[in-house]
Amino acid sequence: IKLKGVTDGSVTLQAPADTSPSGSDKTFTLPTQDGTAGQVLTTDGNANLSFADDANTVLESGRNLIINGAQQVDQRGSGNTAIGTLTNGKYITDRWNVRGQDNTTGQASQSTNAPPDFVNSLLVEVGGGAGATSAGGNRFIRQNIEGYVLRPLRWGTSGAKAATMSFWVKGNVTGTYSFFFFSGALDYHYATTYSINSSNTWEKKTITVPGPTSGTFYTENQLAVYCQWDLGTGSNYQTSTLDQWASGDKRCASGCVDFFNNANAHLRLTGVQFEAGETATQFEHIKYPDDFDRCLRYYQRLGGPRYVAVGSGVQGSNTQTASRININMRAPMRTGASVTFQDLILTDRTGFDNAVNQHSGLHSSETGTYATFKSATNGGDLGRGIILAVRPNGTGYLELTAEL
């Protein structure tokens, strides 16, 4: 086959001179769509060609700035029991926050419905109580990125680098959706759109953004940038200025799908990768233990079967109901954590098991957390070792939260 150039020259595709041993004709089927930059044509062994990443290309480890992009870590247990009441926003799978302001029936959870090469996704469901967003309403899926993580992109400086966000999405409401970056200081934003073309079909999307040379993007442990998949944020935050950085606190593109205004709508998201450069590389699959460890910087849930210890300390006096407890952190956290708990006891495992009813005097840093935990009855002898543990009914837990 000879392909002639527009003005001159040509390119010839020629069959081999010898087709031994069979000597039969061979038909190769080309892919229906173009691949991405750097991909190569491969065969499945049956003459069907497709584009794939070059196996000889060595990709940089740690290039994905999104944590838990495969939605595999779920410390809050949303895969077992969906998390509802999303009006003010709640974390679902680790690092992923979902908000459905002005909606009372929405819920979100970890799902096992996922595209090829993935096991889990984040599922958001509207339920039967659909309703339009208010002017100041916020509806979204969001991951907030810490300054230490964003730092290599140098956003907000003259050396800012372009970056690419890629993800898989599946929903039963087709149309145009808004995706947004906005700075942690809420002074600079970038709005763009993507489309869900086919109902209930996994589709991969890619968004490339130029590096912003202005705006306040923090570089330490503060919130540096919001990455937001909009689900119908109100008109107060909408903008029609797309595909360019602009000043101000805007959070979605105008005229897009108001997801929570569709009864029984559902949307899934997974395979999220945010990386330097203008090309989306293959998803960086991270081993579960490593992904779990990265999540511990922002959230830790301690607990387990009955009498599992979540902290320890020393009894101050046998007439006191309070003990200062050092909490068994699994890893250093981003900043001083907040503490919540349920069904815990103060116990010496010999003389008493006293239910905890409050805590106070919280002291928390990146490397340690302690607080005074109180029970309704007196404890043991002065100086006796004491444990903060799960109650015998086995339903207790202690949460440490340092989310952005």
Side-chain angles (χ1 to χ4, degrees):
I1 301 175
K2 179 176 286 188
L3 305 175
K4 291 188 176 181
V6 176
T7 56
D8 57 12
S10 64
V11 174
T12 301
L13 301 177
Q14 183 172 312
D18 183 3
T19 57
S20 299
S22 63
S24 59
D25 294 338
K26 194 68 175 178
T27 300
F28 289 94
T29 302
L30 292 170
T32 58
Q33 296 181 337
D34 191 9
T36 59
Q39 289 189 316
V40 296
L41 275 175
T42 63
T43 177
D44 64 356
N46 294 310
N48 297 306
L49 303 181
S50 62
F51 286 102
D53 294 309
D54 188 350
N56 295 317
T57 300
V58 178
L59 297 173
E60 180 184 1
S61 176
R63 65 188 180 279
N64 190 2
L65 305 186
I66 291 290
I67 297 175
N68 197 28
Q71 310 290 356
Q72 61 181 335
V73 183
D74 182 30
Q75 290 188 75
R76 295 169 178 85
S78 71
N80 297 320
T81 304
I83 297 174
T85 317
L86 304 176
T87 299
N88 294 318
K90 289 184 178 178
Y91 281 89
I92 312 300
T93 52
D94 278 48
R95 302 294 298 118
W96 290 97
N97 186 279
V98 178
R99 185 170 183 176
Q101 192 168 346
D102 306 315
N103 173 270
T104 59
T105 61
Q107 63 180 24
S109 60
Q110 183 192 55
S111 170
T112 56
N113 186 319
D117 298 327
F118 295 91
V119 175
N120 297 113
S121 63
L122 171 63
L123 168 64
V124 183
E125 300 172 284
V126 172
T133 187
S134 61
N138 284 275
R139 298 175 165 185
F140 55 73
I141 300 172
R142 180 190 288 173
Q143 181 161 142
N144 302 333
I145 296 182
E146 184 180 354
Y148 286 127
V149 177
L150 187 73
R151 181 185 287 185
L153 295 184
R154 300 189 63 197
W155 280 15
T157 74
S158 60
K161 299 177 183 178
T164 298
M165 180 73 78
S166 56
F167 56 92
W168 287 89
V169 64
K170 177 181 180 179
N172 66 343
V173 179
T174 60
T176 301
Y177 288 74
S178 176
F179 176 83
F180 232 77
F181 294 104
F182 52 103
S183 66
L186 303 178
D187 63 349
Y188 221 50
H189 65 267
Y190 182 95
T192 191
T193 60
Y194 68 93
S195 295
I196 293 181
N197 301 306
S198 300
S199 178
N200 292 319
T201 302
W202 281 108
E203 300 174 4
K204 186 175 182 180
K205 308 298 177 182
T206 300
I207 295 168
T208 298
V209 57
T213 56
S214 298
T216 305
F217 297 88
Y218 299 114
T219 58
E220 296 186 353
N221 69 339
Q222 311 101 311
L223 197 168
V225 67
Y226 298 86
C227 303
Q228 179 165 305
W229 289 255
D230 186 69
L231 298 178
T233 294
S235 58
N236 290 354
Y237 298 109
Q238 294 178 7
T239 179
S240 58
T241 302
L242 304 183
D243 301 317
Q244 59 183 286
W245 287 99
S247 299
D249 179 13
K250 298 297 181 181
R251 305 178 188 181
C252 68
S254 56
C256 293
V257 171
D258 183 2
F259 174 77
F260 279 99
N261 196 24
N262 294 271
N264 302 313
H266 54 78
L267 183 143
R268 290 175 169 88
L269 179 72
T270 194
V272 184
Q273 181 152 292
F274 182 46
E275 59 194 309
E278 298 180 357
T279 301
T281 66
Q282 68 186 65
F283 183 80
E284 182 183 7
H285 285 280
I286 297 175
K287 295 178 181 178
Y288 181 88
D290 296 333
D291 227 3
F292 185 86
D293 286 347
R294 296 171 73 197
C295 294
L296 292 178
R297 179 169 173 80
Y298 306 93
Y299 176 81
Q300 299 181 29
R301 185 182 178 98
L302 310 176
R306 62 181 188 172
Y307 289 119
V308 166
V310 298
S312 60
V314 176
Q315 180 66 31
S317 165
N318 59 5
T319 62
Q320 292 181 347
T321 62
S323 297
R324 197 180 85 167
I325 299 295
N326 294 309
I327 296 171
N328 298 338
M329 291 174 61
R330 291 173 172 173
M333 303 192 75
R334 178 186 66 86
T335 188
S338 62
V339 176
T340 56
F341 66 90
Q342 175 179 304
D343 290 338
L344 298 181
I345 57 172
L346 292 169
T347 177
D348 64 357
R349 292 300 291 124
T350 58
F352 64 91
D353 289 348
N354 295 338
V356 174
N357 58 15
Q358 61 178 299
H359 81 277
S360 63
L362 174 68
H363 172 84
S364 185
S365 66
E366 292 182 27
T367 56
T369 296
Y370 64 82
T372 298
F373 288 83
K374 298 181 179 181
S375 61
T377 54
N378 293 338
D381 297 333
L382 174 65
R384 175 176 288 187
I386 194 167
I387 298 170
L388 179 67
V390 175
R391 291 182 66 180
N393 61 13
T395 62
Y397 64 85
L398 185 146
E399 291 180 323
L400 302 174
T401 303
E403 298 284 4
L404 290 157

